[in-house]
Amino acid sequence: MFTTRPTLQGTFGMAATTHWLASQSAMAVLEDGGNAFDAAVAAGFVLHVVEPHLNGPAGEVPIILAPADGPVQVLCGQGPAPAGATVAHYTSLGLDLVPGTGPLAAAVPGAFDAWMLLLRDHGTKSLADVLRYAIGYAAHGHPAVERIGETVETVRELFTTEWTSSAELYLRGGRAVRPGELLTNPPLAATWRRLVTEAEAAATDREAQIDAARRIWREGFIGEALAATAARPAMDTPPAFGGGTPTGERHAGTLTGDDLTAFTATYEEPVTYDWRGWTVAKAGGWTQGPALLQQLALLPEELPAHGSPDYVHLLIEGCKLAMADREAWYGDAADVPLSTLLGDAYNTARRALVGDRASAELRPGSPDGRTPRLSKHARAVATGTGGPDPLGALASGAGEPTVARSEPAAAPEVDRDGTTRGDTCHIDIVDRWGNLVSATPSGGWLQSNPVVPGLGFPLGTRLQMTWLEEGLPNSLTPGRRPRTTLTPSLALRDGIPVMAFGTPGGDQQDQWQLHFFLAVALRPQVRGGLDLQGAIDAPNWHNDSFPSSFFPRAMRPGSVTVESRIGERVIDGLRRRGHDVTVGGAWSEGRLSAVARDPRTGVLSAAANPRGMQGYAVGR
């Protein structure tokens, strides 16, 4: 089939990310003798510089890795809620949702420590080696992509009137950077230079220097600046890209130096599901990752023709059921019954709910006979009324409540034309030794919080994904992680790791990734290998028929947004089945990248998304 680019193949190394400079920086590390993990860390820090509207050092990153000589692991770079972040504190301020931006939305930063732990435990390069690419681009500049200046313009008034430290960096001379102009970040370059200098002064060997850098982040000049900024009241605002006029209030955050000192990134086992000889590995129920596995478990034995109206309808309806379970059962504040949610009996019963017509209902199941636990807000946006709980009388088993269809009053997180509000990056790397890594860095973007004076980056906003209601799996809970949308993937074939993939896109991530995975698994290979680029280029779609993870937590029951390239036959077929179809741009859905390794031949592959005109794969 025709693709926008070839699926790259080689034997030395492959890198695919959401920005060409990060991909090439990763490749430079591989060329310098580094492994996939060294390359991923270097790319991650470059993305902080070249995509500051999509991620930053004080954000978060879940990482899934398959060392050539060890088991698949998940590295959690998602920080928890601070000790002072209680439901009682937030509701005492008159809030019923965590604000979309501002200090109150800041969790404990997790990305930096996760990158350092990956470098220490699995890399081979020094701290200075991997940071030199980010330092160079921050100090000497990089040609700005279009969305940086566009994003700054949406928050211009906020920056000039309230977040003046951000204006100093992103509105120099009173204007945002134009596409192609060199954008520098001198404070960030100075921060990393000082970090390297202090870490090298503290120790002589590689691992000890990395641990010294981790301490400096928590307790040294960086930690002190982060805690001081969190304690300083700043304006809460509408959600990112929601307009520049401040409409909130000034609040201090709950993050303290003690919270920073207490946090460390951690390793854990992945959650997996076997499907037709493949095993897909994801992070646990503190992410939305298992929703992809649930969608696989809901598939019938016989599938409709790939890309047909019946096929697209089936995947949309299965996604709705999986995401309804995400709302009811996923989160770090309670045990997630994943063994039942992925079990045959449960999914056989749930599969029977998929009919010939589109559902506009939010239908969580009842694993082990338990009643689903949905927030009041989720119930309100599902019904459009905010009235009595229509789900409270769910019978045990996979019952089907009646929920009226209604458009929510709040604006959706995805525009009606199909344009997504980008907030995330992605990295996939494979090296000649067979190491694979997939990472989805996000948060701490320039529109999330004021830039920390002297550091060159802001705090994040991941707490907006928690509920201000006690007793839910995703309730705001000190010491517990907010349920994140960030969800990298790794696939094994006959038990051997063969592919790493992922995408930005918030709630859409495990929709687009499922479509990609099935396209790889079900369609012919190219040149004897996986057709990664063909699967990425294929027309894509998503639905918003469940509460969004982002403030203001909206929902569009029965909705589906498709790329126009999907064709009139599919569009008409979906509408006949009752779907509320929005036709987006021809290249508006999905931001995927992927790498792969054939264990029989050692041939490496890579591909990246053409949408947005900045993702790239490189390799040889």
Side-chain angles (χ1 to χ4, degrees):
M1 63 171 289
F2 172 80
T3 59
T4 59
R5 312 164 182 177
T7 294
L8 305 184
Q9 289 186 316
T11 57
F12 180 82
M14 294 280 166
T17 81
T18 49
H19 196 291
W20 63 86
L21 292 178
S23 297
Q24 190 53 48
S25 297
M27 196 65 203
V29 173
L30 296 178
E31 296 283 3
D32 195 40
N35 65 19
F37 309 116
D38 297 313
V41 176
F45 281 89
V46 168
L47 287 175
H48 297 159
V49 180
V50 301
E51 293 189 327
H53 57 307
L54 304 180
N55 78 136
E60 41 276 328
V61 58
I63 302 168
I64 190 162
L65 59 143
D69 58 353
V72 176
Q73 294 177 293
V74 170
L75 177 51
C76 172
Q78 173 60 66
T86 64
V87 169
H89 173 65
Y90 284 64
T91 56
S92 73
L93 299 174
L95 299 171
D96 54 11
L97 291 175
V98 177
T101 61
L104 280 177
V108 179
F112 179 86
D113 199 63
W115 289 126
M116 290 296 101
L117 209 60
L118 181 67
L119 180 65
R120 188 196 70 182
D121 296 345
H122 298 281
T124 64
K125 292 292 188 179
S126 70
L127 182 68
D129 286 337
V130 296
L131 284 181
R132 67 188 181 96
Y133 305 93
I135 292 171
Y137 287 124
H140 305 298
H142 57 94
V145 295
E146 287 79 358
R147 289 303 298 272
I148 296 176
E150 292 171 2
T151 301
V152 172
E153 287 298 340
T154 67
V155 286
R156 167 182 286 276
E157 184 175 344
L158 174 68
F159 279 16
T160 57
T161 62
E162 297 284 344
W163 296 4
T164 55
S165 59
S166 299
E168 291 171 4
L169 189 58
Y170 290 108
L171 285 171
R172 298 175 200 170
R175 68 172 181 86
V177 65
R178 296 189 178 103
E181 288 184 339
L182 287 181
L183 176 63
T184 61
N185 189 334
L188 182 58
T191 296
W192 296 146
R193 283 170 173 156
R194 180 177 174 184
L195 177 76
V196 170
T197 298
E198 292 190 9
E200 290 178 343
T204 56
D205 69 277
R206 189 188 77 91
E207 293 184 8
Q209 288 177 358
I210 295 169
D211 280 334
R214 297 170 70 204
R215 289 192 299 273
I216 294 165
W217 175 272
R218 297 187 187 108
E219 305 167 18
F221 78 96
I222 296 176
E224 291 172 356
L226 292 174
T229 295
R232 189 178 302 120
M235 180 68 73
D236 302 330
T237 69
F241 298 101
T245 304
T247 61
E249 297 180 1
R250 295 180 186 86
H251 289 122
T254 58
L255 179 69
T256 68
D258 289 342
D259 296 311
L260 292 165
T261 300
F263 175 75
T264 180
T266 54
Y267 292 101
E268 58 187 58
E269 293 185 3
V271 180
T272 62
Y273 186 78
D274 296 331
W275 188 81
R276 299 191 182 186
W278 291 83
T279 299
V280 181
K282 302 288 285 185
W286 53 273
T287 75
Q288 70 174 358
L292 186 151
L293 308 183
Q294 283 197 252
Q295 291 175 81
L296 283 174
L298 283 163
L299 293 175
E301 188 67 26
E302 296 294 327
L303 294 176
H306 187 274
S308 67
D310 287 340
Y311 177 86
V312 177
H313 169 77
L314 176 70
L315 266 57
I316 293 169
E317 295 304 297
C319 175
K320 291 176 184 177
L321 294 174
M323 297 302 265
D325 277 345
R326 182 197 76 166
E327 286 308 303
W329 300 108
Y330 290 20
D332 198 35
D335 291 332
V336 183
L338 287 176
S339 60
T340 300
L341 292 173
L342 295 173
D344 291 341
Y346 180 80
N347 285 286
T348 297
R350 295 284 279 166
R351 196 177 299 122
L353 298 179
V354 177
D356 295 332
R357 298 288 297 173
S359 171
E361 303 171 355
L362 188 64
R363 300 181 290 178
S366 298
D368 305 317
R370 289 184 281 178
T371 300
R373 297 171 291 176
L374 290 171
S375 68
K376 293 176 182 177
H377 182 89
R379 295 194 297 267
V381 297
T383 62
T385 63
D389 177 11
L391 297 168
L394 264 177
S396 62
E400 184 175 357
T402 300
V403 182
R405 180 181 173 199
S406 153
E407 282 290 327
E413 297 305 315
V414 179
D415 297 333
R416 295 291 295 192
D417 67 357
T419 302
T420 56
R421 295 173 176 181
D423 63 351
T424 303
C425 308
H426 188 73
I427 299 167
D428 297 301
I429 315 279
V430 61
D431 64 29
R432 63 190 183 275
W433 300 288
N435 299 302
L436 278 161
V437 59
S438 181
T440 310
S442 185
W445 47 77
L446 67 87
Q447 65 275 23
S448 64
N449 258 298
V451 165
V452 179
L455 295 187
F457 59 86
L459 290 166
T461 59
R462 196 60 57 172
L463 292 187
Q464 68 179 290
M465 297 187 172
T466 61
W467 296 113
L468 296 182
E469 184 178 342
E470 301 284 6
L472 300 171
N474 193 32
S475 296
L476 178 64
T477 307
R480 296 290 184 172
R481 295 166 289 190
R483 188 196 70 214
T484 182
T485 53
L486 308 176
T487 172
S489 300
L490 197 139
L492 301 85
R493 186 70 173 165
D494 299 321
I496 301 173
V498 297
M499 182 169 65
F501 59 100
T503 180
D507 295 304
Q508 288 76 53
Q509 289 181 34
D510 281 313
Q511 302 184 56
W512 294 334
Q513 289 185 76
L514 174 75
H515 309 160
F516 164 82
F517 171 75
L518 292 175
V520 169
L522 297 173
R523 294 165 69 181
Q525 296 186 336
V526 293
R527 296 192 300 275
L530 302 176
D531 185 11
L532 302 182
Q533 194 65 51
I536 288 173
D537 287 358
N540 219 323
W541 68 91
H542 80 272
N543 82 90
D544 300 296
S545 202
F546 48 86
S548 168
S549 297
F550 296 89
F551 183 92
R553 315 301 296 272
M555 174 176 168
R556 286 175 55 200
S559 73
V560 58
T561 301
V562 302
E563 290 183 327
S564 60
R565 294 183 299 121
I566 207 167
E568 289 301 321
R569 175 170 168 263
V570 173
I571 293 168
D572 292 344
L574 293 175
R575 285 175 172 156
R576 284 196 302 271
R577 289 163 175 81
H579 295 275
D580 176 12
V581 180
T582 295
V583 180
W587 297 91
S588 57
E589 291 286 311
R591 308 289 184 269
L592 284 141
S593 64
V595 299
R597 179 180 184 272
D598 188 332
R600 301 166 300 171
T601 64
V603 171
L604 311 178
S605 306
N609 169 54
R611 301 162 178 89
M613 301 296 288
Q614 65 187 66
Y616 247 89
V618 297
R620 68 172 180 90

